[in-house]
Amino acid sequence: MKKALLLVAALGVAFAQQAKPEDVIKEQCARAKVVAELWHGFTGGAPKAALENLVVEFNKAQQGRCVRPVPQGGYRDLSTKIKAAFAAGKVPTMAQAFENNIALYLEAKALLPIESLGVKLQGVNLTFLNAVRFGGVVYGVPFNKSIQVLYYNKDLLKKHGVPVPATLEEFVAAAKKLSRAEGGPVYWFQPDASTFAYFFFNLGGSYLKDGKLVLNSKEAVEALTLLQNGVKEGWAKPITSGYINQNLGSGPYAFSVDTSAGYTYYLRAAKFDLGVATLPGRTKGQPGYGLVQGTNLVVFRQASKEEQAVAKDFLEFVLSPRAQAVFATATGYVPVTEGALKDPVYQAYAAENPDYATIVRQSRYAKFEPALAEWEQIRFDILGQAIKEAILNKADPKAALDRAQKLAEDLLSSRTR
């Protein structure tokens, strides 16, 4: 683990050696005649540092041009500020955007097709690329993409002779056995739409049926009931303060289903031998499906021709094998191009971290949430609240999801807008 952490630290500054890349960027842009702003939702840590290091390296090769990353708070803050920028008529050149954000921005006819800029997309992961294809047109470049994986405590499993579970049935059985042996719940989870999605997808659920959003299907009720029962039966522990990795050491821990973007944080927090596995699925023949999270980079129509030219070059730089290899391995995100997997930086990191190859393998078994313009509000304020009600307040799962369905239908029909 020590070698892994040292390599992560080295990769984090692979492009830029300066202690404060934001100061370097400020100086670079002060001399530039064309400044293309990139609004983002990275609040700190490895993702923000890795993005800034990428920008420093890109700007070094520019003559009178630069990209300036501008943090806007978290992702919801970012989308809120972009909507306000529409109203003010002052949008940035580029921004991070989830698939549902893209759908919303397209309603305002605010985005440029990526290929109209001349950006070459050969070699980009088709699963990620198809998710940003609307009406056959690509409107985003996949950037920081993560996938859910199974984190586990190798020491605890070895202590009790429990193998890494390959199926959902084995997973629940292992969590129950270890919880009884340790005197406390060993499967830790955050009661949110991300955790729910893993169980929902692997029980056969789909959010869209005949083009209609369905939140209260039998698979959804089954998934939420499973989580609720896990808490009642003492094998599942909801984490309501901070991230799961921030709580390690506060009780017996064996498993969590969490984003690969948390990999470096888990490595630093774990005082045990950390394992990473593909997700338990419905059968032993195939890993379970993981929720894809993370954003894409979009370009706004209001950008000047000069800014669009900078954006085009920056997007192609971001998709280059070296940029992808450094950014992905420094953050735990999944490389979005095949070329990155052959880059020496990736190869060296994968040799030191076999777990990272597991993350890449899991990315081949991926599911997306609906690319609906209203999904952000539904995800957090409607479905997310229903999940919390059932888990934390012990509400009936079906009743909670039925209420969520009604609220979502009202929102989608514009009755509550």
Side-chain angles (χ1 to χ4, degrees):
M1 186 184 299
K2 186 175 181 181
K3 286 184 179 179
L5 289 175
L6 289 174
L7 188 52
V8 167
L11 287 170
V13 292
F15 274 141
Q17 300 300 318
Q18 295 81 3
K20 291 185 177 181
E22 63 267 27
D23 292 338
V24 179
I25 295 168
K26 184 177 180 180
E27 184 178 341
Q28 289 172 330
C29 289
R31 300 193 301 264
K33 293 182 180 180
V34 181
V35 178
E37 285 195 348
L38 166 57
W39 287 13
H40 67 86
F42 291 148
T43 56
K48 182 173 182 290
L51 170 62
E52 289 172 345
N53 286 333
L54 285 178
V55 170
V56 167
E57 186 68 12
F58 172 78
N59 287 345
K60 282 181 182 178
Q62 303 305 303
Q63 298 294 325
R65 311 188 312 167
C66 84
V67 168
R68 180 165 59 208
V70 182
Q72 299 293 342
Y75 289 131
R76 291 199 81 180
D77 299 317
L78 172 62
S79 63
T80 298
K81 290 177 181 179
I82 287 177
K83 285 180 277 190
F86 286 161
K90 295 183 68 175
V91 297
T93 304
M94 295 175 282
Q96 285 181 302
F98 289 100
E99 290 75 22
N100 60 279
N101 297 140
I102 293 175
L104 178 64
Y105 303 157
L106 284 175
E107 288 184 353
K109 297 181 172 59
L111 298 181
L112 281 171
I114 295 300
E115 288 168 305
S116 73
L117 293 166
V119 177
K120 297 177 177 62
L121 298 172
Q122 290 88 345
V124 178
N125 182 309
L126 283 178
T127 299
F128 299 155
L129 197 61
N130 287 334
V132 290
R133 199 183 298 275
F134 292 76
V137 179
V138 174
Y139 285 98
V141 167
F143 178 47
N144 59 306
K145 290 298 182 182
S146 63
I147 187 74
Q148 287 175 319
V149 292
L150 181 70
Y151 293 100
Y152 67 97
N153 183 338
K154 290 183 180 180
D155 295 336
L156 192 65
L157 269 63
K158 183 178 180 180
K159 174 183 174 182
H160 296 286
V162 174
V164 179
T167 66
L168 268 175
E169 184 179 1
E170 291 177 355
F171 172 73
V172 173
K176 288 181 177 179
K177 178 179 179 178
L178 292 169
S179 297
R180 286 193 298 268
E182 291 293 317
V186 301
Y187 166 59
W188 294 13
F189 72 99
Q190 291 182 300
D192 58 19
S194 297
T195 298
F196 171 80
Y198 161 65
F199 291 96
F200 174 63
F201 287 140
N202 288 287
L203 289 170
S206 174
Y207 284 114
L208 296 175
K209 296 191 176 181
D210 298 324
K212 178 184 177 183
L213 179 69
V214 180
L215 301 178
N216 60 345
S217 64
K218 65 180 182 61
E219 294 89 355
V221 174
E222 185 179 358
L224 191 50
T225 300
L226 177 61
L227 277 170
Q228 187 186 71
N229 285 343
V231 177
K232 289 179 180 178
E233 295 166 3
W235 56 267
K237 175 182 178 179
I239 300 297
T240 57
S241 177
Y243 296 105
I244 292 173
N245 60 77
Q246 294 171 322
N247 286 269
L248 293 177
S250 64
Y253 164 88
F255 304 114
S256 55
V257 172
D258 209 343
T259 171
S260 62
Y263 179 53
T264 57
Y265 298 95
Y266 271 87
L267 277 176
R268 292 186 178 96
K271 305 301 182 186
F272 50 81
D273 192 3
L274 177 72
V276 179
T278 52
L279 294 168
R282 300 180 77 177
T283 67
K284 287 188 177 182
Q286 174 182 307
Y289 290 103
L291 175 65
V292 175
Q293 296 172 284
T295 69
N296 315 279
L297 297 179
V298 298
V299 181
F300 292 99
R301 285 186 180 276
Q302 287 187 24
S304 69
K305 291 297 182 183
E306 294 79 9
E307 291 168 353
Q308 290 177 26
V310 176
K312 182 257 186 186
D313 291 343
F314 180 71
L315 293 177
E316 290 193 335
F317 171 77
V318 164
L319 290 174
S320 67
R322 175 55 53 89
Q324 274 298 301
V326 171
F327 182 78
T329 53
T331 59
Y333 288 113
V334 179
V336 303
T337 64
E338 290 296 322
L341 303 181
K342 301 174 184 176
D343 187 88
V345 169
Y346 171 81
Q347 292 289 330
Y349 186 78
E352 289 282 351
N353 289 272
D355 288 337
Y356 199 74
T358 300
I359 291 172
V360 173
R361 179 169 182 248
Q362 179 64 65
S363 70
R364 301 186 182 107
Y365 301 91
K367 292 281 189 178
F368 283 84
E369 292 175 320
L372 299 174
E374 300 85 356
W375 181 249
E376 181 177 286
Q377 186 174 348
I378 293 170
R379 185 188 206 276
F380 291 101
D381 302 334
I382 296 177
L383 177 59
Q385 287 303 310
I387 293 165
K388 288 178 181 176
E389 279 293 308
I391 300 301
L392 303 180
N393 299 332
K394 302 178 182 178
D396 176 71
K398 186 176 187 308
L401 290 171
D402 283 345
R403 285 194 295 273
Q405 180 68 26
K406 177 65 165 56
L407 289 171
E409 289 176 357
D410 288 346
L411 176 65
L412 291 171
S413 65
S414 302
R415 287 199 289 270
T416 59
R417 288 187 188 176

